Amino acid sequence: MASVFPVVIVLVIVAGLMATSWVFTRKGPQQTLIRTSLMLTLACCYLMWAIAYLAQLHPLEVPRVNLALEH
Amino acid sequence: MGTHVPDEYPTLFRSEDMSLVQLFVPAEVAHDTVAELGELGNVEFKDLNPDVNPFQRSFVGEIRRIDEMARRVRFFATQIERERDVLPVRPLYDSAPLITVGPRAAQTMDDLDVTLSAHESRLLEMNEGYELLSGRLAELIEARHVLRETAVFFQRAENNQSEIRTSFDDSSAPLLQHEDRENQYSTVSNVQLDLEFVAGVIDRTRLSTFERVLWRVLRGNLYMNHTDIAEPFVDAATGNSTYKNVFIIFAHGDALLAKIRKVCESLGATLYPIDPNADKRVESLREVNVRLEDLESALYNTGSTRRAELVRIGESLRSWEDVVRKEKAVYETLNLFNYDVGRKTLIAEGWCPHFALRHATEESGTSVPPILHELRTSKTPPTFQRTNKFTEGFQTIMDSYGIATYQEVNPGLFAVVTFPFLFAVMFGDIGHGTIILVAALLMILNERKLVRADLGEIIGTFFYGRYIILLMGLFSIYTGFIYNDIFSKTLHIFQSGWSFPEGSGVVHAEPTGDVYPFGLDPGWHGADNALIFTNSYKMKMSIILGVTHMSFALCMQVPNHLRFKRLTDIYHGFIPQMLFLQSIFGYLVVCIIYKWIVDWSKSPTPPPSLLNMLIGMFLSPGSIAPGTQLYRGQGFVQTVLLLIAVVCIPWMLCVKPYLLWRERQRVRGQGYVGLAVGDDGFDARHDDLEGEEEGNGRAIAADAEEEHEEHDFGEVVIHQVIHTIEFCLGCISHTASYLRLWALSLAHAQLSEVLWDMTLNRVLGAEGFIGQILVVLVFLMWFVLTVAILCVMEGLSAFLHALRLHWVEANSKHYEAGGYQFKPLSFAALNEKE
């Protein structure tokens, strides 16, 4: 059954991952860079996936194929 | 000496803290100190003698000597380059370094000077000698040709002797002279041929002119013969080759011969004395051959000695170039210092990153030695972002827009992820992403070798951005999975959410009730109306990503305002801007997501068009046409949001100028007179240096015209008006601008599909041996076109658009870019520049 639930679950998971990456990046000259990159990557990838998922939850169009022409 | 790990590292988030330091360097160690600082590459020195003519500075003499040495080194480099056979030059990393600091430094430099001038004089001598010998060689070869050809002429002339005599009888000369000539000839009787002649060599291009001039001058009283010399004469210095001809001119009478000789001289022909006697000619030929042999061997020896000299030079050339470059930089820097005559020390001022200073202090284990001390200053330090080989590329592309103001938030840090991501949204294809990933990996794995090679401008640029390309590839593979596109095909990893019933003709899929868990459903691939769905999806995705990116960029204002203590800017700049953006476009994003979540098949009203909804929000606020409602209470919510947006405009426009005006009124009211522009409290004269003993350092260089903020009220208002209008209009246009994410990804997908359809689609399944060959050939064509058009061309296009999105849409929300780059004295940077 298509529902929003998976999106919310994954959001929680990604938020958790982001928090983990903030806390557990070891100190060093590259700490800010690694933290920022990891968090931004997680956020961007989640956003991309969530948009694709949400767009197909209750689609307003159905695929239409013309079988006679299909090769 | 403890290896103490600092608590706070400098980050890419903002540029590093810089301190203005003042150095007192005793004159004896000045050179070595500067050389060491150059190796470390941490300090940018200020010019403490700005009014001094470059020819009057203290170290002009040393610089002149170094320039002379540099000229010699350049001369050697060009000589080596000119060699036809490539001469090996020992590269810098392989050469033994020359020690230019320490007690033996002066000796080393003197030795180097002597060595260079000795090499130069030897080389010049050899060059001269070689040219001389080459000239003589050419002459001898010409002489040999003349001897050979004239032998032929004489033979021919002998055979035709009687005819010639007859022709002379027919000449227009009077009888009397004819008799004289006969007498003349009989005296020179051992000559088989009774004619006098002139023989020589002339350029082929001048030959026809020569003949014509002679004919005119001598009125036809001559007999001329000439042949081509087959091999050209190559000029050693210029490399030009000229073709020459041997000629011989028979004429009689001294006057005529004299005229001939003059004509030859004027046209640049070289004359050679030829003996009419055949035996003597053979003798001369032998002599010439012997001399030629000698000359050729001498030439060969000179050539090989010269080459040996150049090889010796090539061994040390790079290290000489390096030393000369460094020494010049050191002395030019020393010229920037101020010479304190009383104490015989040089005083230097420069910017140095705080981190480097502290690090040096901790490493040395003692407190900062008294030769260096920090100054307080009101001048803006340069911007220094410490990058490594990974972040360098990203920082460069953001710096191209403008160097960040000192200590403002650095967009380069975020560009490390957002730039490849936005690129990937426009480029999403698993196959193409893999191709560029492989290309990037090839460059990175061969990094060490490629860094030293001269790759040329284009490949060099690609190599410089190899880490950017790496991330672009990785993200493209991810978005390729989301778009479910691999070389225009789809992957069926999971269970599709559409099932196609049996049938023929037009068939509509039925939903299975499940959503394809990752990315676009493969059921859409090949459907007639696939684009309708994909366009809607991608357009909405672009808007969501765009509004998110812009909101993120807007939030970057806050750390800047906090850092520079501009709290009014947060309340009356950031907040109204954010409210304006969110109340219109944030609302649009929420509506998009809401519309996706609602199951419209179960709703009483049909799904409304969001575009019309947004337009309606502005044109007829508060009233929702029946049948176009998205949610309950929509009219009220939209009115509130619109009001908020409208209120934000005067808020952005008026509040800040008003507060500024009020502050100035208050200040004036308290009786303070505004400080005149340019009256810098740190303006010090030279006698103020005495004060340093107590430790209150003053900057020596009185900076002229430090730009003070114009407190002219009119300017502030105008600035605010421009800023408000720019922001409000920009919101709308920038949001629409993000639709390029949709446009480019559509174009990419379509191009990919067309390429497949036009090439491989037509030959796959071809039968027979011919069919197999055809498939291979067409595959090659498909692959080459994929790389050239879809990866390189589309890649560059997506790169450019992603960069534009960062520069215009994102940076305009927070980036001031008013700084100047930190340019330390660094020998490593000098080497890179060469």
Side-chain angles (χ1 to χ4, degrees):
Chain A
M1 199 49 243
S3 84
V4 183
F5 195 53
V7 178
V8 178
I9 293 278
V10 177
L11 175 64
V12 172
I13 296 175
V14 166
L17 283 173
M18 282 168 75
T20 321
S21 69
W22 178 275
V23 171
F24 287 107
T25 322
R26 57 160 186 241
K27 271 192 187 287
Q30 310 301 339
Q31 188 190 30
T32 317
L33 179 66
I34 299 177
R35 256 192 205 163
T36 316
S37 305
L38 278 176
M39 291 177 69
L40 273 177
T41 309
L42 284 168
C44 291
C45 292
Y46 168 74
L47 210 56
M48 197 71 193
W49 170 81
I51 294 172
Y53 192 89
L54 286 170
Q56 296 179 105
L57 265 184
H58 305 286
L60 301 170
E61 296 281 332
V62 298
R64 185 188 71 225
V65 183
N66 198 333
L67 280 174
L69 292 173
E70 197 167 294
H71 25 250
Chain B
M1 187 108 80
T3 45
H4 176 236
V5 175
D7 290 325
E8 287 264 334
Y9 283 97
T11 70
L12 262 186
F13 184 61
R14 31 168 63 106
S15 72
E16 291 197 24
D17 278 321
M18 307 291 276
S19 322
L20 186 63
V21 293
Q22 199 174 44
L23 278 149
F24 295 91
V25 189
E28 315 88 59
V29 297
H31 171 271
D32 292 358
T33 313
V34 175
E36 185 63 30
L37 287 172
E39 293 288 341
L40 290 172
N42 269 331
V43 188
E44 179 181 344
F45 289 101
K46 290 169 62 166
D47 190 356
L48 296 177
N49 312 310
D51 323 315
V52 178
N53 190 314
F55 297 106
Q56 291 167 345
R57 295 196 184 216
S58 352
F59 294 92
V60 157
E62 280 83 352
I63 290 189
R64 246 190 231 131
R65 191 171 87 142
I66 306 256
D67 270 339
E68 185 66 18
M69 291 163 74
R71 182 192 60 80
R72 292 198 176 116
V73 170
R74 266 197 311 275
F75 171 65
F76 297 150
T78 44
Q79 288 291 303
I80 290 182
E81 249 170 69
R82 285 240 213 97
E83 283 289 298
R84 233 170 288 138
D85 307 318
V86 173
L87 209 66
V89 176
R90 186 177 284 271
L92 184 58
Y93 59 85
D94 211 7
S95 309
L98 279 166
I99 312 292
T100 50
V101 295
R104 305 232 45 220
Q107 181 71 25
T108 317
M109 288 307 282
D110 288 335
D111 286 343
L112 185 63
D113 204 3
V114 165
T115 316
L116 287 178
S117 65
H119 276 296
E120 187 192 24
S121 62
R122 269 206 297 279
L123 211 58
L124 283 175
E125 227 178 86
M126 279 192 266
N127 281 352
E128 227 181 280
Y130 194 86
E131 258 173 65
L132 203 66
L133 289 173
S134 295
R136 270 204 227 130
L137 185 79
E139 270 177 37
L140 281 175
I141 293 180
E142 284 177 11
R144 189 171 62 183
H145 279 290
V146 170
L147 279 169
R148 285 208 189 117
E149 300 309 323
T150 49
V152 177
F153 292 154
F154 279 120
Q155 287 234 306
R156 256 192 253 148
E158 259 176 48
N159 299 338
N160 303 341
Q161 192 183 9
S162 49
E163 288 168 35
I164 293 173
R165 296 230 61 184
T166 337
S167 75
F168 273 111
D169 287 336
D170 288 347
S171 80
S172 52
L175 234 50
L176 194 62
Q177 284 192 306
H178 186 86
E179 268 181 31
D180 272 16
R181 253 181 278 128
E182 288 220 21
N183 289 341
Q184 207 180 12
Y185 289 146
S186 49
T187 50
V188 194
S189 55
N190 46 346
V191 179
Q192 274 182 325
L193 191 63
D194 299 348
L195 298 166
E196 290 173 346
F197 58 90
V198 168
V201 171
I202 189 172
D203 269 355
R204 200 170 294 178
T205 49
R206 298 227 185 106
L207 191 61
S208 44
T209 325
F210 186 50
E211 278 184 308
R212 236 179 291 132
V213 171
L214 278 174
W215 192 260
R216 283 214 198 105
V217 168
L218 304 174
R219 299 198 198 113
N221 285 333
L222 80 157
Y223 172 66
M224 179 169 166
N225 205 342
H226 61 86
T227 19
D228 294 345
I229 299 180
E231 315 86 41
F233 290 86
V234 182
D235 185 1
T238 57
N240 293 340
S241 43
T242 28
Y243 288 91
K244 296 199 176 170
N245 284 30
V246 178
F247 65 87
I248 183 163
I249 306 172
F250 294 97
H252 48 270
D254 289 325
L256 285 178
L257 287 172
K259 274 194 203 156
I260 294 173
R261 290 209 175 87
K262 269 216 196 100
V263 172
C264 289
E265 218 178 300
S266 72
L267 281 175
T270 350
L271 297 176
Y272 292 93
I274 304 289
D275 204 304
N277 188 336
D279 294 326
K280 294 227 183 90
R281 276 205 304 274
V282 167
E283 180 77 30
S284 313
L285 191 64
R286 209 162 22 88
E287 214 182 286
V288 164
N289 278 332
V290 165
R291 276 168 66 195
L292 260 176
E293 264 174 44
D294 288 339
L295 209 61
E296 271 174 1
S297 70
L299 210 60
Y300 177 77
N301 284 340
T302 313
S304 60
T305 319
R306 179 169 174 270
R307 196 179 164 83
E309 181 81 15
L310 283 176
V311 166
R312 253 205 313 278
I313 292 176
E315 284 283 307
S316 332
L317 186 66
R318 296 284 175 242
S319 73
W320 290 339
E321 280 176 351
D322 186 49
V323 164
V324 159
R325 240 194 335 256
K326 278 192 192 157
E327 288 296 301
K328 179 135 187 229
V330 166
Y331 282 111
E332 278 179 342
T333 312
L334 282 172
N335 267 344
L336 302 175
F337 297 176
N338 202 343
Y339 188 58
D340 180 8
V341 189
R343 280 173 269 194
K344 290 221 187 329
T345 55
L346 286 163
I347 304 176
E349 260 181 39
W351 294 106
C352 180
H354 204 62
F355 183 69
L357 270 179
R358 237 201 15 231
H359 188 66
T361 320
E362 285 162 0
E363 283 286 299
S364 67
T366 65
S367 62
V368 177
I371 55 157
L372 175 154
H373 85 265
E374 285 180 57
L375 303 167
R376 288 166 286 123
T377 176
S378 63
K379 291 177 269 279
T380 335
T383 310
F384 176 49
Q385 321 269 19
R386 197 181 292 266
T387 54
N388 53 28
K389 69 182 177 190
F390 175 72
T391 51
E392 190 183 27
F394 298 101
Q395 190 60 44
T396 308
I397 61 178
M398 296 313 274
D399 274 347
S400 304
Y401 175 84
I403 307 287
T405 311
Y406 180 62
Q407 301 240 301
E408 86 167 321
V409 169
N410 173 26
L413 173 64
F414 307 104
V416 172
V417 168
T418 59
F419 178 78
F421 177 69
L422 288 181
F423 171 90
V425 172
M426 293 188 267
F427 193 77
D429 185 307
I430 302 173
H432 303 146
T434 317
I435 292 178
I436 66 176
L437 178 70
V438 166
L441 280 175
L442 277 174
M443 283 194 284
I444 292 174
L445 291 174
N446 293 319
E447 215 170 39
R448 263 191 230 127
K449 195 176 47 160
L450 288 172
V451 145
R452 291 203 206 100
D454 179 21
L455 296 167
E457 222 176 303
I458 298 183
I459 308 286
T461 313
F462 279 109
F463 178 73
Y464 188 76
R466 59 199 181 279
Y467 286 101
I468 310 182
I469 301 178
L470 176 77
L471 286 189
M472 278 165 26
L474 286 171
F475 275 107
S476 298
I477 296 179
Y478 178 79
T479 52
F481 273 107
I482 299 273
Y483 292 155
N484 216 342
D485 188 356
I486 172 167
F487 295 126
S488 82
K489 302 278 149 217
T490 49
L491 296 172
H492 293 248
I493 303 177
F494 306 100
Q495 189 79 301
S496 168
W498 300 103
S499 65
F500 286 91
E502 291 300 319
S504 64
V506 175
V507 171
H508 290 259
E510 272 148 42
T512 60
D514 292 317
V515 185
Y516 195 74
F518 194 86
L520 242 57
D521 200 304
W524 285 104
H525 183 75
D528 287 339
N529 56 351
L531 274 182
I532 300 183
F533 171 72
T534 327
N535 283 350
S536 162
Y537 154 66
K538 284 187 179 170
M539 277 201 246
K540 292 179 178 171
M541 170 194 74
S542 308
I543 299 290
I544 298 177
L545 289 177
V547 174
T548 314
H549 192 214
M550 286 196 290
S551 308
F552 181 72
L554 202 58
C555 291
M556 286 303 114
Q557 273 187 20
V558 180
N560 282 343
H561 295 323
L562 288 174
R563 187 63 148 93
F564 300 121
K565 308 219 180 355
R566 303 189 291 233
L567 289 180
T568 44
D569 271 343
I570 299 185
Y571 298 132
H572 308 294
F574 168 69
I575 293 190
Q577 282 177 354
M578 191 55 122
L579 284 175
F580 185 84
L581 180 66
Q582 298 309 325
S583 64
I584 305 177
F585 297 102
Y587 173 65
L588 177 62
V589 167
V590 169
C591 287
I592 291 175
I593 299 181
Y594 179 73
K595 188 176 167 190
W596 274 339
I597 294 178
V598 168
D599 190 354
W600 291 101
S601 57
K602 301 199 177 69
S603 141
T605 47
S609 157
L610 287 175
L611 199 55
N612 290 342
M613 175 202 85
L614 194 65
I615 294 173
M617 176 171 158
F618 281 89
L619 289 183
S620 50
S623 65
I624 310 288
T628 60
Q629 200 192 48
L630 185 62
Y631 56 91
R632 240 170 1 137
Q634 187 177 0
F636 175 68
V637 170
Q638 284 188 189
T639 320
V640 168
L641 288 173
L642 189 62
L643 276 174
I644 295 177
V646 167
V647 159
C648 283
I649 300 181
W651 187 357
M652 276 188 266
L653 197 58
C654 303
V655 177
K656 199 169 131 194
Y658 167 68
L659 288 177
L660 234 62
W661 176 81
R662 209 181 56 181
E663 181 68 23
R664 291 170 92 230
Q665 295 300 90
R666 191 178 64 82
V667 163
R668 283 232 188 91
Q670 291 182 352
Y672 286 110
V673 179
L675 290 167
V677 174
D679 187 354
D680 196 349
F682 291 110
D683 216 340
R685 314 265 171 261
H686 283 282
D687 15 87
D688 275 343
L689 284 175
E690 315 297 332
E692 277 150 38
E693 312 275 7
E694 291 83 22
N696 29 323
R698 304 260 176 91
I700 298 175
D703 257 337
E705 292 111 63
E706 168 90 8
E707 297 262 323
H708 285 279
E709 251 187 73
E710 297 266 59
H711 289 300
D712 186 11
F713 190 63
E715 288 260 341
V716 173
V717 171
I718 292 176
H719 176 84
Q720 203 61 22
V721 167
I722 293 176
H723 197 70
T724 308
I725 296 178
E726 199 188 324
F727 179 79
C728 295
L729 290 181
C731 258
I732 305 169
S733 78
H734 293 166
T735 308
S737 181
Y738 275 93
L739 284 170
R740 70 187 67 226
L741 294 173
W742 156 63
L744 260 90
S745 76
L746 175 67
H748 190 88
Q750 290 297 300
L751 262 177
S752 180
E753 209 178 298
V754 163
L755 183 63
W756 177 272
D757 280 344
M758 295 282 142
T759 56
L760 277 169
N761 212 20
R762 305 209 168 173
V763 295
L764 278 178
E767 283 164 8
F769 184 64
I770 305 285
Q772 292 176 4
I773 304 272
L774 202 60
V775 168
V776 173
L777 287 174
V778 171
F779 170 77
L780 280 170
M781 182 173 92
W782 172 86
F783 186 74
V784 167
L785 286 175
T786 297
V787 171
I789 298 179
L790 286 164
C791 290
V792 174
M793 188 190 85
E794 277 284 310
L796 285 172
S797 173
F799 184 99
L800 179 128
H801 284 283
L803 194 59
R804 174 252 156 73
L805 284 175
H806 279 77
W807 279 2
V808 179
E809 275 73 21
N811 280 355
S812 65
K813 304 280 179 297
H814 74 277
Y815 198 39
E816 282 169 49
Y820 62 103
Q821 184 79 288
F822 176 60
K823 292 202 182 69
L825 173 70
S826 163
F827 293 150
L830 276 180
N831 281 347
E832 246 175 67
K833 232 193 317 171
E834 289 295 318

